[in-house]
Structures are given as C-alpha cells and as structure tokens.
Amino acid sequence: MTVSKRVADAEALCPHRLVLEHLTSRWGVLVLAELMERPYRFSELRRAVSRFGGRNVSEKMLTQTLQTLERDGLVHRDAKPVIPPRVDYSLTDLGREGAERVRVLAQWTHDRMDEVEKARQVYDAKRRAYDEAREIQSRASS
Amino acid sequence: MTVSKRVADAEALCPHRLVLEHLTSRWGVLVLAELMERPYRFSELRRAVSRFGGRNVSEKMLTQTLQTLERDGLVHRDAKPVIPPRVDYSLTDLGREGAERVRVLAQWTHDRMDEVEKARQVYDAKRRAYDEAREIQSRASS
DNA sequence: CAGTATCCGTGTTGATACTG
DNA sequence: CAGTATCAACACGGATACTG
C-alpha cells in the first residue's frame, strides 16, 4: 500500500486536513450519517448508504471508507468469528463527536440550498449574457 | 465546459452534497479561512493560501475554486475596470455562515488530532501483527 | 495583474471476478 | 457474508503558454 503524493504532502504539513477529508469524503459523510442512527452490518450499511446516496457504493469503496474511518478511531469494527461471518460497525465516542459536526455542516448546506440555487441562476444568467456579447463581438470583427 | 458524470449524478439526487464538497474542497477550505480574516486580491490570496497550505495553488485551481464559490453565492467578486486589473474577493453573508461552520469542523479535527494519531498507531500495530502472522503461515504451507 | 486555453501524468473510482 | 485482488476508465490537478 503505497501512500499517494497528495496524501503524503498533506500529512507532512497539515495532518488534520486528512481527517477532515475523511469525514467529508464522498461516502464518509453518508456512512457517518447512517451510523449515527444505529450500528450496521456491512451489507446492511451498503444498502442503506446506496439508497440514501442515490447510487451504489461498491464493496471496495465502502470497505475503504470504513477502514479509513476505523484507522482514525472514528468507527468501531466488531468482527464475530462465526460462519457465515458477521461484522458490526458503529461509531466510537470520537466518531460521534465528529459525525455530529459534519451533520451540522451538511444540515446548513441543506437549509441554505434555496439561496445557493438563486445565486447560481444569477451567476449563470450573467455568464450567458457575457458570452453572447463576446460571440457577437467576435463575429463583427471577422 | 462539460459537466462530469459524477457531478451530474450528485446534482440530480442530492444537490446540497455538492455545496458541501465545494466548502470542504482542497483549496476551498483554505480560501474560506483566509477570506474570514479580510478581503483579498487574487495574487495576494494565491500567496496567502499557498503559504498556509504548504504547497502552491496553481492559478487554474484558485480560479476554479473561486468561481465555484462565487457561483454558489458564497464569495463576492469585485472586478475594478482599471489598468492593471484589480479584483477583490470577499465573503458574502452566506459565505461567512458557511465558512464559520467549516471552521468549527476543521478546529475539531485539529483539537482531536492526538486521539486520532493514537488510534492510528494502535490500528497499524494490529495490522502489522496480523500481516506477519499470515506471512509465517503462508511460508509454512509452501 | 488577473485571468483563459490546452495538454498530459497520476490517482481515485468502480466493475468484475475471486476467496475464506 | 464480508471482504480482497485486479484492471480499465476517467476525472482531477498541475505545468505551460497565451491574452486583455
């Protein structure tokens, strides 16, 4: 497992940025949100996250996400030595703290979505007007 | 400028996830942090972010980050029609709200870094022990 | 100064097949 | 069931050159 350049740089200069990225990663946010409700088994979590995320998490990505969060001490992995295998995932106390703060941020983006959408429409309209003006200008000069 | 598949999917099913990604993007976090202090000009911001981030932001990436945040209504762009050009960037009220919440999250990761590091050491030690056990086992069976 | 346009290396993602 | 291994696609970040 070689560490990527980006990660190596970030780790050296700003270690906590990495944790932030883990918390806010594509699937990290969703995993934390689900685990705030209750513990989950692997496949169960996969289905829940996929449903909520609107797209399937590959097993690989879920595994990767969970391992990263576990390594950071945010998620607890409880593997029971039975057949068929059973593994339960839950938040640690640390993870619960983090998840709560992520939730606050996510909630905010959700609440302010209307304003964001409005801003985007204004921005896009201005852009279009600007681009059209340039289009006309370039035709005139040819 | 074609929109990527990932972005298109996220936009359709979970619009506010995108805003979250913008806020917590590689350079977004740093730009917001700097702009919480005071308004900045483009190159000035480039230097400030590069210093704080430990690595240079390319003009392209800074431009892209700023445009995204501007489009979302989080950053205000004030271009003065003078020669040489002068453009000032600042947070909007909406942007200030978001930046504040990002700061809370970032601060938390910073404060808890010790616990995270400790958890990582435990995790890595366990992994090493496990991998070594497997190594020995596979040699024995050959 | 404040960008835009273009190209290219690289890492991350995800589908598929396989294992204990 | 709960993963690991492998590989292809693709999107991202960055270097460079150019513009108003």
Side-chain angles (χ1 to χ4, degrees):
Chain A
M1 181 181 100
T2 48
V3 180
S4 72
K5 232 181 290 182
R6 265 197 63 200
V7 170
D9 289 347
E11 190 135 28
L13 284 145
C14 197
H16 66 273
R17 271 303 307 278
L18 271 182
V19 181
L20 181 60
E21 292 193 4
H22 299 163
L23 286 168
T24 62
S25 68
R26 178 132 193 239
W27 304 115
V29 178
L30 299 173
V31 165
L32 293 171
E34 293 296 340
L35 290 183
M36 294 242 314
E37 299 298 323
R38 63 175 177 88
Y40 274 88
R41 298 182 58 179
F42 184 84
S43 296
E44 205 184 12
L45 188 56
R46 185 154 128 81
R47 279 187 294 274
V49 166
S50 295
R51 195 167 333 108
F52 194 70
R55 165 178 277 275
N56 277 14
V57 213
S58 62
E59 294 167 6
K60 180 186 161 190
M61 280 300 107
L62 183 57
T63 301
Q64 203 173 93
T65 303
L66 286 169
Q67 284 178 350
T68 305
L69 294 175
E70 188 196 355
R71 190 171 108 94
D72 287 348
L74 302 169
V75 160
H76 175 68
R77 179 175 182 277
D78 182 19
K80 273 124 185 162
V82 297
I83 292 177
R86 178 193 176 101
V87 182
D88 289 281
Y89 290 93
S90 55
L91 290 179
T92 62
D93 290 345
L94 192 63
R96 190 164 298 277
E97 278 186 30
E100 182 57 36
R101 281 157 180 81
V102 170
R103 201 189 58 77
V104 168
L105 183 58
Q107 182 69 43
W108 181 82
T109 64
H110 182 260
D111 293 343
R112 299 301 190 185
M113 204 53 214
D114 282 359
E115 294 184 50
V116 170
E117 298 270 33
K118 214 178 298 178
R120 285 181 184 168
Q121 284 178 14
V122 172
Y123 181 91
D124 291 346
K126 279 186 188 164
R127 277 278 296 197
R128 262 198 305 280
Y130 176 74
D131 288 348
E132 277 166 24
R134 287 221 323 180
E135 172 76 9
I136 289 165
Q137 191 176 16
S138 72
R139 283 194 193 178
S141 68
S142 68
Chain B
M1 180 181 97
T2 47
V3 180
S4 70
K5 233 180 289 181
R6 262 198 63 200
V7 171
D9 289 346
E11 191 134 27
L13 285 144
C14 197
H16 66 274
R17 272 305 305 279
L18 272 181
V19 182
L20 182 60
E21 291 193 5
H22 299 163
L23 286 168
T24 62
S25 68
R26 177 134 194 236
W27 303 113
V29 178
L30 298 173
V31 165
L32 293 171
E34 293 295 339
L35 289 182
M36 293 238 322
E37 300 297 322
R38 64 175 176 88
Y40 274 89
R41 298 182 57 180
F42 185 84
S43 296
E44 205 184 14
L45 188 56
R46 186 153 126 81
R47 279 187 294 273
V49 167
S50 295
R51 196 170 329 111
F52 194 69
R55 164 177 278 272
N56 278 14
V57 213
S58 62
E59 294 169 7
K60 179 186 163 188
M61 280 301 108
L62 183 58
T63 301
Q64 201 174 94
T65 303
L66 286 169
Q67 284 178 351
T68 305
L69 295 175
E70 187 197 356
R71 191 170 109 92
D72 287 348
L74 303 168
V75 160
H76 175 67
R77 178 175 181 277
D78 181 19
K80 273 125 187 162
V82 296
I83 292 177
R86 178 192 175 100
V87 183
D88 288 281
Y89 290 93
S90 56
L91 290 180
T92 62
D93 289 346
L94 193 62
R96 191 163 298 279
E97 278 185 31
E100 181 57 37
R101 280 157 180 81
V102 170
R103 201 189 59 75
V104 168
L105 184 57
Q107 182 69 44
W108 180 82
T109 63
H110 181 260
D111 292 344
R112 299 301 189 185
M113 205 52 215
D114 281 0
E115 293 185 50
V116 170
E117 298 270 32
K118 213 178 297 178
R120 284 181 184 167
Q121 284 178 14
V122 172
Y123 182 90
D124 292 346
K126 279 186 188 164
R127 276 278 296 197
R128 262 198 307 279
Y130 176 74
D131 288 348
E132 276 166 25
R134 286 220 324 178
E135 173 76 7
I136 289 165
Q137 191 175 18
S138 73
R139 283 193 194 178
S141 68
S142 67

